[in-house]
Amino acid sequence: MKKQVIAMMMVFALACTPLLAQTTASATTPVKIGYTNVEFIVENHPDYKKIENELSITRSQLDKALQDKYKEFQEKLDNYNKNAGSMADVLRTDKEKELQTMQNSIQELQRNSETSLQNKYQQLMKPLMDKVNEAIKVVGKQNNYLYILNSDAGPNTTPILLYVGSEEDNVSNLIFKQLGVDPPKEVTTETPVATPSKASTAPPKK
């Protein structure tokens, strides 16, 4: 899920970003267009590791609660299967209702856990995405870029950049600097053009 959510937030952030320079520039002025990979920036920001750790803790808590409920259900189910034949009809019916209620409760907890984890992920990601988006704006304005494009639109989407002839306008290092983060070594060899779409990954689940 994490790559899908990042991709969705990237598209939203970039769509809301105003032009990084006036579009009324003289026709004789060279158009300056930069590019970066927002997902690459996000996943190499220190805050992203903190987000992953916090999500991992929450996921473990939800998993434990679900496992405890399922263990209790299994024990009651085993007891019912063992003694159902000797139970009075009214007791057997009562036990069956209890088991059905427990099963419904487990399914509800599972659904709510997944929703809660996804909401928490988006909540934690928003401040980081805001930081990255703001850094892109500042880099664009300071370096007179008309546009800064995202080189990867996310899984199962058409790449925004189909061809880049030079690394000259890869602004990833400038964005890392604006964020106060040391660029990872890979940034200098990062492939600027989006690779073929990968299979979609699910959002963080339990």
Side-chain angles (χ1 to χ4, degrees):
M1 139 188 146
K2 68 183 182 182
K3 291 184 180 295
Q4 278 185 328
V5 175
I6 291 176
M8 289 172 60
M9 296 184 77
M10 287 190 300
V11 171
F12 175 79
L14 293 173
C16 294
T17 303
L19 295 180
L20 300 177
Q22 295 295 325
T23 57
T24 55
S26 169
T28 59
T29 303
V31 176
K32 194 173 180 183
I33 299 176
Y35 67 91
T36 186
N37 185 321
V38 178
E39 183 178 332
F40 179 80
I41 300 291
V42 168
E43 292 187 348
N44 285 279
H45 193 286
D47 288 357
Y48 188 72
K49 298 296 182 186
K50 297 176 185 176
I51 290 171
E52 284 193 317
N53 289 338
E54 189 165 343
L55 286 171
S56 179
I57 292 171
T58 301
R59 185 183 296 111
S60 296
Q61 292 172 344
L62 294 173
D63 280 346
K64 185 179 185 308
L66 190 61
Q67 289 167 7
D68 289 346
K69 268 186 173 289
Y70 184 76
K71 181 180 178 182
E72 182 184 1
F73 169 78
Q74 192 62 51
E75 289 173 351
K76 287 183 179 293
L77 178 61
D78 291 343
N79 183 67
Y80 168 82
N81 289 333
K82 181 179 179 181
N83 300 297
S86 60
M87 286 182 186
D89 289 346
V90 64
L91 293 178
R92 184 167 56 251
T93 300
D94 184 66
K95 289 294 182 183
E96 289 170 353
K97 287 181 179 178
E98 180 184 9
L99 289 169
Q100 184 61 56
T101 298
M102 291 184 69
Q103 187 175 38
N104 292 340
S105 177
I106 289 171
Q107 292 172 349
E108 183 179 8
L109 177 60
Q110 187 171 21
R111 288 192 301 269
N112 291 343
S113 294
E114 291 171 359
T115 300
S116 175
L117 196 61
Q118 291 176 11
N119 290 342
K120 186 176 183 68
Y121 178 77
Q122 294 182 27
Q123 179 185 5
L124 292 173
M125 282 295 297
K126 187 180 185 305
L128 176 54
M129 291 304 303
D130 288 345
K131 284 182 186 178
V132 172
N133 194 39
E134 183 60 29
I136 291 172
K137 290 181 185 179
V138 172
V139 167
K141 290 176 182 177
Q142 289 181 347
N143 295 275
N144 299 315
Y145 281 102
L146 181 62
Y147 301 102
I148 292 181
L149 304 180
N150 188 13
S151 64
D152 188 353
N156 302 318
T157 59
T158 302
I160 294 175
L161 295 183
L162 300 178
Y163 172 76
V164 175
S166 169
E167 287 270 349
E168 209 172 282
D169 291 310
N170 183 342
V171 297
S172 297
N173 278 331
L174 295 176
I175 295 170
F176 276 118
K177 183 178 179 182
Q178 182 62 34
L179 289 166
V181 176
D182 291 331
K185 293 179 181 179
E186 291 80 358
V187 75
T188 57
T189 57
E190 176 196 1
T191 302
V193 180
T195 53
S197 298
K198 301 176 184 177
S200 173
T201 53
K205 286 190 177 180
K206 329 163 312 10

